Amino acid sequence: MIALETVAPVIEWQSLSPVLIVLGGACLGVIWEGVLPRRLRNPFQIVTLLAAIIGALTMLTLNFLHASLATDAATSVDPKVGLLAVGTLCSDGPSMAAWFALLVFGGLALLIFGDRQLNQGASAFASAAATTPGSDEEQLADTIGREHTEVYALGLFSLAGMMVFVAANDLITMFIALEVMSLPLYLLAAIARRKRLLSQEAALKYFLLGAFASAFFLFGAALIYGYSGSFQWAGIDSAISGGSTSGVAVVTFGDGILITGVALLAVGLLFKMGAVPFQSWVPDVYTGSPTPVTGWMAVGVKIAAILGMMRVFYVALGGIRWTWQPVIAVVAVLTMVVGVIMALAQTNIKRLLAYSAVSHAGFILTAVVGTQFYVGAGQLNAIGSVMFYLIGYGFATIAGFAIIMMVRRGSAEAWDLDDWAGIGVKNPVVGVLFAIVLLSFAGIPLTAGFIGKWAVFTSAWTGGYWWLAVVGIAFSLVAAYLYLKVLIKMFFAPPAEGVRVAKASPFVWIPVIISTIATLILGLLPGPVMQWLSTLEIFIR
């Protein structure tokens, strides 16, 4: 009789602790909804949110310092850097940088969920999302002050999915993280307090198109597995390069399967980042979703999608980059062109920023195409350039959508661009803060946006795609007109009647102030962050 021996898997609990803390906070938030009376749920949820973000950032910092010390000491093995959870996750420089960014932006964006002052004591979310808009049940829920405090838990679940997505070491883990990231956002998009039908329409579009994109991703993963016999990046790369896995020769089954799989995989990833021709959901979902959710979605999903795509294409598919580079270059050009031109035609501030987000995806893709890996000490390669751009974009976006919440016509947010006429005169503080946001989007010097665009265009140029950098610079100039047009309306047009800047709570002001200050600091003193990122720009397998 043969004895079966079971070996317990080795789990790197400390290295995984940032993700586990966020997931624990999300699960605790679900428990609060079941055991606490309604009046206590919101404060408990906010405390849990802050504790989860601070705890995860603390553990991530300790892991980073431990890894840095181990590297400085030239140790051969460091448990904080390498493959985690039986090879399903990567703990490397890009994943650590992405986790830092996601936790900071998640804390700022999800904190805005707690505002109750802009809606006269109510949140930005529907009081009873399952009721018919305008029904007696909805009016009763509004009257007695019901609210959906589980939005904090949903936000933490989406954050955990994003963190796993950017660190995934195989296609199955990435797909699971994709769903964990997306499903909470589908729900959050549907529960706006005002314009509920628009919100529900946006959520339905996001869900249906997102489900199709996930199916494309999964089908592509299946075809790549059929070609390589592996879901892991190292196994796929080995199959493409004709090597071996664990000493066993890799048998492949036709380049047609591989190319088709890569194309289908790219559809799922490009959809999430809002690149053309998969951008149709972006303006509708950004407009219909509650504005705090739009801010979080615009930052978190873009960071996760772009860095996840870079891990797949650089680590697993780097051996066929001559095949996918021209295709992604064309996508980058189309994304910049469509994003900028469509933004110029908008009269709704949220749709304008939505198409602006599309154009930013195109600018970022220029660096992805460049695949610039080897640079001098202290300089940014393609990965570091993209990460710096995303950090600057993230701060400006969170501040921008938070400020949109403050500008009101009556009790509702003022989305029409004509309503923003004279806002800078009515409230100079809000006007200046929003001007910083727009100038950063435009890539004006002394802002984070300028340094970010300089970094990604430099990466594309030195990577051999100089013409793509030229296209990016040209459409950046066109986009600058778009943002300057809004600034002129804010400061030089006669003030619109019936529009005011409402008093917001610290839950809104704290993210706005931190984000705008960070936007200026990254533009004036980018050196320390660029130096830090230059040490965290190598993917591992």
Side-chain angles (χ1 to χ4, degrees), residues 251-274:
V251 179
T252 58
F253 298 95
D255 290 344
I257 295 178
L258 174 64
I259 299 304
T260 305
V262 172
L264 294 174
L265 204 67
V267 170
L269 294 169
L270 292 171
F271 171 87
K272 283 300 175 185
M273 72 177 67

Side-chain angles (χ1 to χ4, degrees), residues 95-163:
S95 67
M96 283 190 174
W99 284 8
F100 270 116
L102 287 170
L103 287 170
V104 170
F105 293 138
L108 294 174
L110 298 180
L111 190 64
I112 300 174
F113 287 14
D115 178 76
R116 297 293 185 275
Q117 195 164 335
L118 291 173
N119 288 286
Q120 294 81 45
S123 71
F125 302 95
S127 55
T131 61
T132 303
S135 64
D136 294 337
E137 291 83 358
E138 181 188 40
Q139 294 178 9
L140 176 61
D142 289 339
T143 301
I144 64 179
R146 287 187 179 178
E147 57 183 352
H148 284 286
T149 51
E150 64 268 33
V151 294
Y152 302 99
L154 291 172
L156 286 175
F157 276 123
S158 69
L159 172 59
M162 295 170 189
M163 294 174 69

Side-chain angles (χ1 to χ4, degrees), residues 343-433:
L344 289 170
Q346 301 307 309
T347 59
N348 180 303
I349 188 68
K350 288 184 75 174
R351 292 184 72 87
L352 186 151
L353 292 188
Y355 279 111
S356 169
V358 172
S359 68
H360 285 292
F363 297 140
I364 294 170
L365 284 174
T366 61
V368 176
V369 172
T371 61
Q372 180 201 26
F373 297 121
Y374 305 106
V375 294
Q379 297 179 353
L380 296 182
N381 66 9
I383 303 168
S385 300
V386 168
M387 287 192 293
F388 187 94
Y389 193 109
L390 288 170
I391 291 172
Y393 167 82
F395 281 120
T397 300
I398 287 176
F401 282 106
I403 292 172
I404 287 175
M405 294 175 61
M406 300 184 196
V407 180
R408 301 261 163 170
R409 175 175 286 279
S411 58
E413 295 172 5
W415 295 348
D416 195 306
L417 274 180
D418 291 336
D419 289 338
W420 284 69
I423 287 295
V425 177
K426 291 181 179 179
N427 193 313
V429 173
V430 170
V432 169
L433 292 176

Side-chain angles (χ1 to χ4, degrees), residues 243-334:
S244 63
T245 302
S246 301
V248 179
V250 177
V251 179
T252 58
F253 298 95
D255 290 344
I257 295 178
L258 174 64
I259 299 304
T260 305
V262 172
L264 294 174
L265 204 67
V267 170
L269 294 169
L270 292 171
F271 171 87
K272 283 300 175 185
M273 72 177 67
V276 175
F278 313 107
Q279 87 296 345
S280 61
W281 65 275
V282 175
D284 292 336
V285 174
Y286 280 29
T287 303
S289 300
T291 303
V293 175
T294 303
W296 171 228
M297 188 187 306
V299 176
V301 174
K302 197 172 293 293
I303 291 175
I306 291 175
L307 292 180
M309 178 180 178
M310 294 183 76
R311 186 177 293 277
V312 174
F313 278 72
Y314 282 18
V315 180
L317 306 174
I320 56 168
R321 64 180 180 274
W322 307 117
T323 300
W324 57 257
Q325 275 180 305
V327 178
I328 301 300
V330 172
V331 171
V333 172
L334 291 175

Side-chain angles (χ1 to χ4, degrees), residues 2-235:
I2 301 176
L4 296 178
E5 183 178 348
T6 302
V7 179
V10 177
I11 305 297
E12 299 80 2
W13 297 108
Q14 184 174 339
S15 297
L16 293 170
S17 58
V19 177
L20 297 178
I21 290 172
V22 173
L23 281 173
C27 294
L28 191 58
V30 174
I31 293 174
W32 295 149
E33 293 299 311
V35 302
L36 293 177
R38 292 185 182 276
R39 70 179 185 279
L40 296 179
R41 291 177 189 174
N42 191 64
F44 270 74
Q45 293 280 18
I46 292 176
V47 171
T48 302
L49 167 68
L50 294 176
I53 295 294
I54 294 172
L57 277 172
T58 301
M59 291 306 302
L60 182 58
T61 302
L62 293 175
N63 291 342
F64 174 75
L65 293 176
H66 187 287
S68 299
L69 291 174
T71 302
D72 293 340
T75 55
S76 58
V77 178
D78 177 24
K80 309 300 181 300
V81 177
L83 299 183
L84 309 176
V86 200
T88 59
L89 296 177
C90 294
S91 177
D92 53 16
S95 67
M96 283 190 174
W99 284 8
F100 270 116
L102 287 170
L103 287 170
V104 170
F105 293 138
L108 294 174
L110 298 180
L111 190 64
I112 300 174
F113 287 14
D115 178 76
R116 297 293 185 275
Q117 195 164 335
L118 291 173
N119 288 286
Q120 294 81 45
S123 71
F125 302 95
S127 55
T131 61
T132 303
S135 64
D136 294 337
E137 291 83 358
E138 181 188 40
Q139 294 178 9
L140 176 61
D142 289 339
T143 301
I144 64 179
R146 287 187 179 178
E147 57 183 352
H148 284 286
T149 51
E150 64 268 33
V151 294
Y152 302 99
L154 291 172
L156 286 175
F157 276 123
S158 69
L159 172 59
M162 295 170 189
M163 294 174 69
V164 174
F165 192 85
V166 298
N169 188 49
D170 60 72
L171 289 167
I172 296 299
T173 303
M174 178 168 276
F175 175 74
I176 294 172
L178 176 68
E179 297 306 296
V180 174
M181 169 179 70
S182 301
L183 291 174
L185 294 175
Y186 299 153
L187 292 173
L188 289 170
I191 55 176
R193 175 170 289 273
R194 305 186 186 279
K195 301 185 179 180
R196 286 190 58 200
L197 290 176
L198 184 64
S199 177
Q200 292 172 358
E201 176 189 352
L204 184 60
K205 289 180 179 178
Y206 193 21
F207 170 70
L208 291 176
L209 294 175
F212 276 115
S214 296
F216 277 110
F217 181 96
L218 194 58
F219 196 8
L223 290 178
I224 290 176
Y225 177 79
Y227 171 84
S228 65
S230 176
F231 287 113
Q232 292 193 324
W233 310 143

Side-chain angles (χ1 to χ4, degrees), residues 422-513:
I423 287 295
V425 177
K426 291 181 179 179
N427 193 313
V429 173
V430 170
V432 169
L433 292 176
F434 200 66
I436 294 172
V437 169
L438 294 177
L439 292 175
S440 184
F441 284 153
I444 301 301
L446 306 183
T447 64
F450 172 77
I451 304 298
K453 288 185 177 180
W454 169 82
V456 295
F457 294 152
T458 300
S459 181
W461 188 290
T462 56
Y465 278 81
W466 60 269
W467 62 269
L468 190 57
V470 171
V471 174
I473 293 171
F475 277 93
S476 292
L477 295 175
V478 178
Y481 165 75
L482 163 71
Y483 303 117
L484 293 176
K485 180 180 70 172
V486 178
L487 283 176
I488 292 172
K489 183 179 289 290
M490 288 173 56
F491 287 95
F492 301 103
E497 296 183 1
V499 179
R500 61 190 174 87
V501 177
K503 292 183 178 179
S505 69
F507 291 108
V508 175
W509 274 111
I510 290 174
V512 168
I513 292 173

